[in-house]
């Protein structure tokens, strides 16, 4: 813990404190206040590993501002890369406009700028003018989709009950040992996958037993949103899609960039009210290669 002076006021600077119950409790309280969720279930499940590191400021015993850095090991167009994703940027409303987020952003960038291949983040629309101050620029992502015809009456895939420990273990095993299904693959992304699949997306995990494949997918009307696929051997996407759909589904949107995008439709992608920012010297990577970061990798 270090004492720092920001805008004439003293704060305590802390980082990577997940095993400290009191600090984690305060962090969860701020996250719940700002974003409406917390990390306690994720931590208690053993999924909060060393790859997610919060950098925070305390006033007294309370965390009042924080920025998190996630270490993201990737396979990008066949090359291994080490990226840093900045996320969970938050300041308690009473402490805003005091330079706390700026201080934390500078600390994170200083620590990782020369230790990774790229730093990136997803910003909400209310902060689009903030991140260019640190050398970030907005860039485009691209999503692939395809129209399908399937005469199946029923969906063959089996939905997994993610409250069961054996299903959690199965997903962890599959995510840990999955081969690359994408031009931009997050390697061994177990922590982030389990964050989603034990909370927001616990009802969206499917098992194709005969193929021994786990798929994360959502259905909205006549569209299948195929978020990710975990398999330890090559699979035919068309077969996976057929087993996941019935005759009601007409379109598949991919939450990742498939390795083979021939005969797929492509469009500019923007999720909800968020914009992707990358360091300025990396701005062309996703645009030139028509890529997207897998949706289940967003911190």
């Amino acid at each position: 813990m270090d004492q720092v002076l920001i805008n004439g006021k003293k704060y305590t600077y802390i980082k990577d404190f997940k095993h400290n119950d009191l600090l984690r409790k305060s962090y969860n309280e701020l996250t719940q206040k700002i974003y409406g969720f917390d990390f306690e279930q994720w931590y208690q499940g053993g999924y909060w590993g060393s790859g997610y590191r919060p950098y925070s400021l305390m006033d007294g015993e309370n965390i009042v501002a924080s920025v998190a850095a996630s270490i993201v090991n990737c396979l990008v167009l066949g090359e291994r890369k080490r990226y840093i994703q900045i996320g969970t940027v938050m300041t308690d409303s009473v402490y805003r406009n005091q330079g706390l987020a700026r201080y934390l952003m500078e600390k994170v960038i200083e620590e990782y700028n020369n230790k990774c291949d790229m730093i990136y983040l997803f910003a909400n629309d209310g902060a689009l003018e903030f991140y260019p101050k640190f050398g970030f620029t907005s860039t485009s992502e691209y999503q692939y989709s395809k129209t399908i015809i399937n005469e199946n009456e029923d969906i063959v895939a089996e939905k997994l009950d993610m409250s069961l420990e054996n299903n959690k273990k199965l997903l962890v095993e599959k995510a840990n040992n999955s081969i690359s299904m994408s031009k931009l693959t997050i390697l061994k992304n177990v922590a982030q996958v389990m964050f989603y699949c034990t909370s927001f997306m616990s009802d969206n995990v499917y098992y194709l037993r005969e193929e021994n494949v786990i798929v994360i997918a959502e259905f909205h009307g006549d569209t299948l949103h195929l978020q990710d696929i975990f398999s330890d051997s090559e699979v035919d996407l068309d077969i996976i899609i057929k087993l996941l759909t019935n005759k009601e589904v007409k379109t598949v949107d991919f939450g990742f960039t498939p390795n083979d995008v021939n005969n797929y439709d492509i469009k500019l992608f923007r999720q909800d009210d968020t914009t992707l920012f990358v360091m300025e010297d990396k701005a062309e990577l996703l645009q030139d290669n028509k890529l997207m970061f897998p949706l289940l990798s967003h911190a």
Side-chain angles (χ1 to χ4, degrees):
M1 295 186 179
D2 297 321
Q3 298 299 310
V4 298
L5 187 67
I6 304 173
N7 201 26
K9 181 175 174 58
K10 287 185 178 180
Y11 297 92
T12 303
Y13 170 66
I14 57 174
K15 64 179 181 178
D16 201 15
F17 46 79
K18 61 180 177 289
H19 295 312
N20 184 308
D21 291 346
L22 292 177
L23 295 180
R24 192 178 67 253
K25 180 176 183 293
S26 182
Y27 184 70
N28 281 330
E29 288 173 350
L30 182 60
T31 309
Q32 186 65 238
K33 184 176 182 180
I34 301 299
Y35 290 112
F37 66 84
D38 63 48
F39 295 95
E40 192 59 22
Q41 178 178 302
W42 189 51
Y43 174 81
Q44 294 297 338
Y47 307 121
W48 183 344
S50 59
Y52 178 83
R53 301 174 180 176
Y55 295 70
S56 306
L57 290 168
M58 299 178 69
D59 183 11
E61 297 181 351
N62 298 315
I63 292 176
V64 297
S66 191
V67 170
S70 294
I71 300 172
V72 183
N73 293 307
C74 308
L75 192 64
V76 185
L77 302 174
E79 294 185 13
R80 287 184 176 266
K81 300 291 183 181
R82 186 176 191 255
Y83 292 165
I84 298 297
Q85 180 181 185
I86 292 176
T88 328
V89 179
M90 54 186 180
T91 304
D92 189 283
S93 57
V94 176
Y95 294 83
R96 290 175 185 168
N97 302 312
Q98 301 298 314
L100 306 191
R102 173 184 285 274
Y103 176 86
L104 293 169
M105 284 290 297
E106 289 173 347
K107 294 291 284 187
V108 170
I109 292 170
E110 179 185 13
E111 179 161 340
Y112 291 106
N113 201 30
N114 296 316
K115 299 177 183 178
C116 68
D117 296 294
M118 183 168 71
I119 302 176
Y120 69 98
L121 59 91
F122 294 92
N124 62 47
D125 285 351
L128 299 185
E129 297 181 2
F130 179 63
Y131 296 105
K133 299 173 183 178
F134 306 97
F136 288 96
T137 187
S138 60
T139 191
S140 299
E141 294 184 278
Y142 292 82
Q143 184 176 43
Y144 292 84
S145 63
K146 69 184 307 183
T147 301
I148 65 168
I149 298 175
N150 189 350
E151 298 302 327
N152 289 348
E153 292 290 337
D154 300 310
I155 293 173
V156 175
E158 167 191 346
K159 184 177 287 189
L160 291 182
D161 181 350
M162 292 307 295
S163 68
L164 301 179
E165 287 302 317
N166 62 317
N167 288 340
K168 293 177 185 177
K169 289 179 181 178
L170 178 62
L171 178 53
V172 167
E173 178 189 352
K174 286 295 174 189
N176 259 329
N177 295 293
S178 183
I179 63 173
S180 173
M181 301 287 177
S182 172
K183 291 184 178 182
L184 199 170
T185 297
I186 311 301
L187 301 172
K188 298 186 182 298
N189 189 33
V190 173
Q192 201 66 31
V193 169
M194 296 308 292
F195 175 76
Y196 281 109
C197 292
T198 58
S199 54
F200 308 109
M201 302 189 72
S202 61
D203 198 40
N204 304 114
V205 184
Y206 295 85
Y207 186 38
L208 308 182
R209 191 170 295 275
E210 186 171 335
E211 289 71 22
N212 198 20
V213 172
I214 287 184
V215 180
I216 317 301
E218 297 178 274
F219 296 88
H220 294 146
D222 65 355
T223 301
L224 166 67
H225 297 273
L226 187 53
Q227 306 289 28
D228 218 330
I229 301 172
F230 301 110
S231 173
D232 56 12
S233 60
E234 291 287 346
V235 296
D236 186 327
L237 272 183
D238 289 334
I239 292 176
I240 299 300
I241 290 168
K242 185 174 183 180
L243 296 173
L244 274 171
T245 57
N246 57 21
K247 63 183 182 180
E248 305 299 324
V249 179
K250 309 300 182 186
T251 305
V252 180
D253 284 344
F254 291 86
F256 58 94
T257 305
N259 281 319
D260 183 359
V261 294
N262 290 325
N263 302 316
Y264 283 42
D265 297 318
I266 184 172
K267 61 186 176 184
L268 278 170
F269 177 74
R270 189 169 184 268
Q271 186 182 33
D272 300 328
D273 63 344
T274 60
T275 298
L276 173 62
F277 280 84
V278 302
M279 283 299 189
E280 290 177 349
D281 61 334
K282 305 294 184 181
E284 307 304 321
L285 174 66
L286 279 79
Q287 293 180 170
D288 288 353
N289 295 288
K290 303 294 188 290
L291 304 175
M292 72 183 299
F293 278 103
L295 294 181
L296 292 189
S297 71
H298 290 206

